[in-house]
Amino acid sequence: MLRSLVCICLGLLFLPLLSMAQKPDTVRIPPPMKTVALDSVGVLPSAIDTKGWLLLDKDIQLELDGAVYNIYNFKYEKAEKQFRSLRRRYPNHPMPYFLLGLSTWWKIVPTNIQTQQYDKPFFAYMDTAVTKAQKLYDADNNNYEASFFLSAAYGFSARMHGERHDWRKATVNSRRSLNFLKKSQEANSLSPEFQFGQALLNYYAVWISENYPLLKPVLLFFPRGDKKLGLQQLRSVATNGFYTATEARVYLMRILKNEENNAEEALPVARYLATTYPDNGYFQRFYAHLAYDQGDFADCERVSREILDKINKGMPGYEGISGRYASYFLGYLMQNRYRDLAKAKDYYQRCIVFSESTGDTSGGFYLYANMNLARLAVKDKDAVAARRYYEVVANKAERKSEQHKEAKAWLKKNGRG
């Protein structure tokens, strides 16, 4: 199982760098590391003793396939029950600890990695996975299964340290992950899904260089990469992979939407994820956003209503960030599709409350919700409300933007310029 999931960590090695330059939500109106040579991936192993490897145990693969599905569908308790059962049977193996860490990771993802309440258990699980795998590796440095786990656990830890802006630990863990990746790739013929990590390295090595020139000195220690090939490989894994297919689709969706600005191609990928894992708030809000961008308002409305309903029910992984998305989209649809201005105002106000509850008030949905409420207040000749909302817009919008100009002009005309 984990010989596949280790591929996930390869892309994560770049994300501590990406954390330095995170892009906010947008609303569209309709130190040295050893180089891993990509050309060396694909070398067939000469002789590998796989006796005792949990990775190749077919019964465990079947068991954990269902557990991994439960992770992505936010049924954490069901997944972790299976992982704890695995831990009781194999207390000295890194697999159950890594999987428990992976489950904890997906509790953090829906908050855009903002919540820190799961940081300690996450690092504890990954550190234990490293300790268990290191013992196996020390006993036999040709134990490629141990190398897989070491590379994966260090990779996820690097990502989290990057998100927490601890660049020293992020760099150290990334270097260690790459070192064990170089070792473990000798056994890549055992897993055709190993292409996933190669795909992410290919894509991001080029994309980061193109978009963040200041990071080029760091990238000298990475392979040169090939963006087009990286995308082709991601699509191949998404179509033909087994354990890594979902992660490949997640990255493909994000890359197409955020890095390639290709919402049209990202939409069917998001639709698949939101349909296959209907209780995954992250997938649902991503799909609702893409449906909104592409004018698929029927699905945008349906999914947005589902999100708010699941927030009201207190379902795991549904919180203020997803609520901010859903309430804004419904406000827009009530205003522009159904002409129900009372409901539009209610949803926009809910969007503002969700935004303030999560601290996402720098722009995006928060800005546009205030903007639309200001315009509706002007139509209602409610100067007090219009002033309140336009003052927020004037403070939050970029100075040269049309929103800022409109807000300042109204405030000046009405005595608050």
Side-chain angles (χ1 to χ4, degrees):
M1 160 81 183
L2 264 296
R3 72 181 190 277
S4 305
L5 289 179
V6 71
C7 304
I8 298 170
C9 82
L10 307 184
L12 303 179
L13 297 177
F14 281 103
L15 296 182
L17 305 178
L18 292 175
S19 299
M20 302 182 210
Q22 289 293 311
K23 298 180 181 178
D25 293 333
T26 57
V27 179
R28 291 194 339 181
I29 301 299
M33 303 178 190
K34 293 183 180 180
T35 299
V36 177
L38 293 185
D39 57 6
S40 68
V41 176
V43 177
L44 292 175
S46 55
I48 301 176
D49 181 8
T50 62
K51 183 179 180 180
W53 282 27
L54 299 188
L55 299 177
L56 304 183
D57 188 308
K58 298 298 183 183
D59 292 332
I60 289 178
Q61 287 182 5
L62 289 173
E63 172 189 342
L64 296 184
D65 183 34
V68 170
Y69 175 85
N70 284 330
I71 290 178
Y72 289 119
N73 206 36
F74 289 1
K75 301 297 185 286
Y76 307 117
E77 291 185 6
K78 289 183 178 180
E80 291 172 8
K81 182 178 180 180
Q82 292 176 271
F83 300 152
R84 286 192 294 269
S85 172
L86 188 72
R87 182 175 61 183
R88 286 193 295 270
R89 285 176 279 154
Y90 302 96
N92 296 316
H93 200 282
M95 177 184 284
Y97 303 96
F98 180 84
L99 288 172
L100 286 164
L102 182 63
S103 180
T104 307
W105 169 255
W106 272 96
K107 295 175 185 178
I108 300 169
V109 170
T111 69
N112 284 347
I113 323 296
Q114 291 178 8
T115 183
Q116 298 184 28
Q117 71 179 103
Y118 302 110
D119 283 19
K120 287 185 178 179
F122 170 80
F123 283 121
Y125 284 132
M126 291 303 172
D127 288 347
T128 304
V130 166
T131 299
K132 301 293 185 179
Q134 189 68 53
K135 288 183 179 178
L136 296 176
Y137 185 81
D138 290 343
D140 177 8
N141 61 12
N142 285 320
N143 186 327
Y144 298 109
E145 184 186 49
S147 298
F148 278 123
F149 284 106
L150 286 163
S151 184
Y154 278 128
F156 271 96
S157 294
R159 168 72 191 274
M160 182 62 84
H161 284 304
E163 292 288 350
R164 301 297 177 246
H165 298 172
D166 190 335
W167 307 121
R168 183 188 66 81
K169 289 184 178 179
T171 301
V172 169
N173 280 277
S174 293
R175 184 190 299 117
R176 290 171 177 170
S177 184
L178 281 171
N179 289 343
F180 284 108
L181 163 65
K182 187 174 182 180
K183 178 69 177 179
S184 63
Q185 72 181 25
E186 297 173 20
N188 62 23
S189 68
L190 296 177
S191 174
E193 296 167 290
F194 195 78
Q195 191 180 50
F196 177 47
Q198 184 181 356
L200 291 174
L201 284 169
N202 261 323
Y203 182 85
Y204 279 113
V206 178
W207 185 86
I208 294 175
S209 178
E210 292 175 346
N211 290 274
Y212 300 101
L214 292 177
L215 296 179
K216 283 185 177 180
V218 178
L219 295 176
L220 292 175
F221 301 97
F222 286 88
R224 292 181 62 182
D226 182 329
K227 271 205 318 183
K228 184 177 180 180
L229 177 59
L231 284 174
Q232 290 175 350
Q233 291 170 329
L234 265 185
R235 290 189 176 97
S236 176
V237 175
T239 301
N240 303 310
F242 185 56
Y243 293 120
T244 55
T246 299
E247 285 291 341
R249 286 189 175 94
V250 173
Y251 275 94
L252 183 60
M253 173 183 71
R254 290 173 54 181
I255 287 172
L256 290 171
K257 169 66 167 64
N258 297 329
E259 277 74 81
E260 295 295 308
N261 296 315
N262 191 340
E264 183 178 0
E265 285 194 26
L267 181 62
V269 183
R271 182 184 295 117
Y272 174 89
L273 289 170
T275 301
T276 304
Y277 306 100
D279 291 335
N280 185 310
Y282 178 80
F283 294 162
Q284 281 204 305
R285 74 178 185 234
F286 213 113
Y287 178 48
H289 198 172
L290 285 165
Y292 168 84
D293 282 348
Q294 294 300 295
D296 187 351
F297 296 131
D299 260 14
C300 178
E301 179 180 353
R302 175 183 60 80
V303 175
S304 295
R305 290 187 183 280
E306 289 179 3
I307 289 172
L308 292 183
D309 180 59
K310 291 172 182 178
I311 290 174
N312 289 335
K313 291 178 179 178
M315 291 181 62
Y318 286 85
E319 35 52 70
I321 295 176
S322 296
R324 183 176 82 244
Y325 280 60
S327 54
Y328 178 84
F329 298 145
L330 289 171
Y332 177 88
L333 292 173
M334 291 303 111
Q335 179 182 1
N336 297 285
R337 193 180 192 195
Y338 297 109
R339 308 299 177 184
D340 189 333
L341 301 187
K343 287 185 178 179
K345 291 177 185 178
D346 179 61
Y347 281 120
Y348 286 140
Q349 288 164 352
R350 291 172 71 179
C351 177
I352 289 172
V353 172
F354 279 127
S355 299
E356 291 175 346
S357 73
T358 60
D360 294 296
T361 60
S362 60
F365 299 122
Y366 182 74
L367 170 65
Y368 279 88
N370 276 281
M371 187 75 188
N372 290 332
L373 284 169
R375 290 171 175 170
L376 291 173
V378 170
K379 288 184 178 181
D380 290 342
K381 302 185 184 304
D382 186 346
V384 174
R387 180 175 291 109
R388 181 169 72 251
Y389 295 124
Y390 270 132
E391 285 178 344
V392 173
V393 174
N395 289 329
K396 297 296 182 180
E398 294 183 5
R399 285 193 165 274
K400 294 183 179 180
S401 69
E402 293 300 317
Q403 293 79 21
H404 186 270
K405 292 177 182 177
E406 179 181 328
K408 294 295 287 185
W410 189 94
L411 291 169
K412 182 177 182 180
K413 182 179 178 180
N414 291 272
R416 288 289 184 91

